[in-house]
Amino acid sequence: MNPSLSKFMLAHTPKHILNPAPTMNTELKLNTGASIPALGLGTWQSAPGEVKKAVVHAIEAGYRHIDCAFCYQNEDEVGEALQDVISRGVVKRDDLFITSKLWCTYHTRVEEGLQKSLDLLKLDYLDLYLMHWPVPMNPNGNHPLFPKLPDGSRDIDFSTNHVKTWLRMEKLIQAPSPKVKAIGVANYSKKYLEKLLAKATIVPAINQIENHPYLPQQEVVDFCKEKGIHITAYSPFGSTGSPMFSEEGILEVAKKHSVGPGTVLLSYHLARNSSVLAKSVTPSRIDENRKLISLDSSDMEKLEGIHKAKGLKRFVYPPFGVNCGFPDKPEGMDLSG
Ligand SMILES: NC(=O)C1=CN([C@@H]2O[C@H](COP(=O)(O)OP(=O)(O)OC[C@H]3O[C@@H](n4cnc5c(N)ncnc54)[C@H](OP(=O)(O)O)[C@@H]3O)[C@@H](O)[C@H]2O)C=CC1
Ligand SMILES: O=C[C@H](O)[C@@H](O)[C@@H](O)[C@H](O)C(=O)O
């Protein structure tokens, strides 16, 4: 084509055609060659009795990405929902992206942990299996998920470490008929990732971390980008009770675009090329959360200003007594190895 003509067309094509707004199923590329749908339904704290309906509703409404974990203690019901929509032909298994996570008390029993989740979810493979936290806990302690010492502190397993767990997870992919398409990590800081990458043969496909305008985690986000590790953001609304919905800076950007605060909080991650997980068991909210828009650089500057003015805020930090290497959480034992 005549170059001046193509320049003319570029200048006169409406911006929304050149840069279409992201949708909930915009595909983001992983370092495995596979892609992940931009928006996933979260299932943490989705109560039994509610979670099946939520997952069925979400998939019927177009969600294709569901985030699960063994320690959420609801994978059985999520599995019933998956079976329901697949058997009714609402969706094919291969069109879903299902994540589960290896819980801390299973770090030395990776295959067993995976099989337990597969059985509960009634699936024969996962699209993604994550190490939930880089913190091994005693597999033979006083509780199968949250073992504690007599003083009430969490019962950490010092006989192993997160890097050894990763090497065990690599074997899942190297098996003759792998039951996972990709492996990754969650709650990893730059410091812990550096230790893992020094020994890894497989670079994690994903690092799933708490991420929102109160906690941009730029250090680890930039590091992951440099290493080809995709970021999935969790707790985009500030977790339980969605406290970030009332943040003034978010409401201003929402008003400018005539959308709700949730749309801004979710779209923020798409502008950063991350995927994002939104939890809800409320059908109208599950529907509402599908809406994503393109935020421009002035919106992103405004959102960036929020933590600068108000300070960082982290909503999810379990009492492991461990320093996970995040600059905003300097206390606790260093288990980076
Ligand atoms: N790897 C990890 O360690 C972690 C992973 N995650 C994953 O990320 C997911 C999302 O994070 P999560 O911490 O659950 O919290 P979110 O930030 O997704 O917030 C969930 C809360 O927001 C409410 N909510 C959802 N949509 C709306 C809406 N449109 N309007 C008003 N309120 C709304 C929900 O209420 P309701 O349900 O009652 O509608 C719930 O109270 C988790 O469910 C889990 O899958 C989360 C934390 C840690
Ligand atoms: O995924 C969600 C969170 O990481 C959650 O699994 C932990 O916070 C857990 O409840 C714990 O207390 O260690």
Side-chain angles (χ1 to χ4, degrees):
M1 188 190 295
N2 174 338
S4 54
L5 181 61
S6 75
K7 225 168 155 188
F8 174 87
M9 283 170 67
L10 208 63
H12 291 85
T13 306
K15 207 165 131 239
H16 71 276
I17 293 178
L18 289 175
N19 294 313
T23 73
M24 61 186 304
N25 287 319
T26 293
E27 301 256 305
L28 302 170
K29 273 273 173 233
L30 303 181
N31 63 14
T32 57
S35 16
I36 184 168
L39 175 73
L41 180 78
T43 61
W44 181 36
Q45 306 186 105
S46 298
E50 291 183 326
V51 69
K52 179 177 176 186
K53 277 186 254 163
V55 173
V56 169
H57 182 85
I59 292 174
E60 286 179 341
Y63 283 69
R64 293 295 175 261
H65 171 184
I66 312 288
D67 184 71
C68 317
F70 182 68
C71 102
Y72 299 166
Q73 299 176 70
N74 58 13
E75 285 192 322
D76 196 15
E77 247 195 61
V78 174
E80 286 174 22
L82 297 177
Q83 231 178 15
D84 176 52
V85 286
I86 294 169
S87 68
R88 286 193 289 116
V90 176
V91 72
K92 294 198 191 78
R93 164 65 186 99
D94 287 358
D95 294 332
L96 292 171
F97 190 101
I98 310 291
T99 302
S100 185
K101 312 188 191 87
L102 176 79
W103 184 240
C104 303
T105 46
Y106 282 81
H107 274 222
T108 51
R109 302 176 286 164
V110 167
E111 272 189 50
E112 190 184 331
L114 170 64
Q115 196 56 52
K116 275 188 185 286
S117 283
L118 285 171
D119 291 346
L120 290 165
L121 292 167
K122 293 163 262 299
L123 297 176
D124 51 18
Y125 74 91
L126 293 177
D127 296 277
L128 177 67
Y129 197 45
L130 301 176
M131 190 191 317
H132 204 144
W133 287 89
V135 182
M137 286 204 286
N138 185 354
N140 303 306
N142 68 357
H143 189 278
L145 297 176
F146 302 102
K148 287 191 180 150
L149 294 173
D151 69 0
S153 63
R154 288 201 174 179
D155 191 354
I156 306 297
D157 183 357
F158 294 102
S159 71
T160 184
N161 66 50
H162 70 103
V163 177
K164 290 184 181 159
T165 310
W166 181 253
L167 300 181
R168 292 182 199 111
M169 289 182 72
E170 288 187 343
K171 296 211 170 79
L172 298 175
I173 294 274
Q174 290 153 349
S177 308
K179 294 177 182 171
V180 293
K181 299 218 165 175
I183 52 173
V185 295
N187 298 300
Y188 263 67
S189 59
K190 178 177 181 221
K191 181 175 184 176
Y192 277 62
L193 268 175
E194 278 171 334
K195 298 286 185 179
L196 182 148
L197 291 175
K199 296 274 166 60
T201 310
I202 299 175
V203 175
I206 284 191
N207 185 16
Q208 187 185 109
I209 52 170
E210 180 173 342
N211 216 203
H212 42 68
Y214 278 153
L215 194 69
Q217 304 229 61
Q218 210 55 51
E219 180 186 66
V220 66
V221 169
D222 289 344
F223 183 72
C224 285
K225 192 168 184 191
E226 185 191 316
K227 301 291 176 190
I229 302 170
H230 177 80
I231 295 283
T232 299
Y234 75 63
S235 303
F237 303 147
S239 204
T240 317
S242 56
M244 295 196 67
F245 270 55
S246 51
E247 166 57 48
E248 212 180 296
I250 306 289
L251 291 170
E252 273 178 44
V253 177
K255 189 168 172 202
K256 173 183 151 189
H257 290 278
S258 308
V259 295
T263 298
V264 172
L265 287 164
L266 296 173
S267 303
Y268 166 81
H269 300 287
L270 270 292
R272 286 159 64 96
N273 208 28
S274 303
S275 50
V276 58
L277 306 170
K279 177 261 177 182
S280 179
V281 290
T282 314
S284 58
R285 291 174 174 178
I286 293 172
D287 293 345
E288 184 184 323
N289 294 345
R290 294 176 306 180
K291 186 171 169 64
L292 296 169
I293 57 169
S294 297
L295 294 173
D296 61 29
S297 51
S298 71
D299 301 324
M300 291 305 277
E301 256 169 55
K302 177 129 225 139
L303 298 176
E304 185 60 17
I306 295 176
H307 81 274
K308 290 185 179 154
K310 304 220 164 145
L312 297 172
K313 207 180 269 188
R314 185 182 284 273
F315 295 96
V316 180
Y317 205 66
F320 288 116
V322 168
N323 179 342
C324 289
F326 296 113
D328 60 300
K329 286 281 177 193
E331 60 283 343
M333 290 176 283
D334 183 352
L335 294 186
S336 61

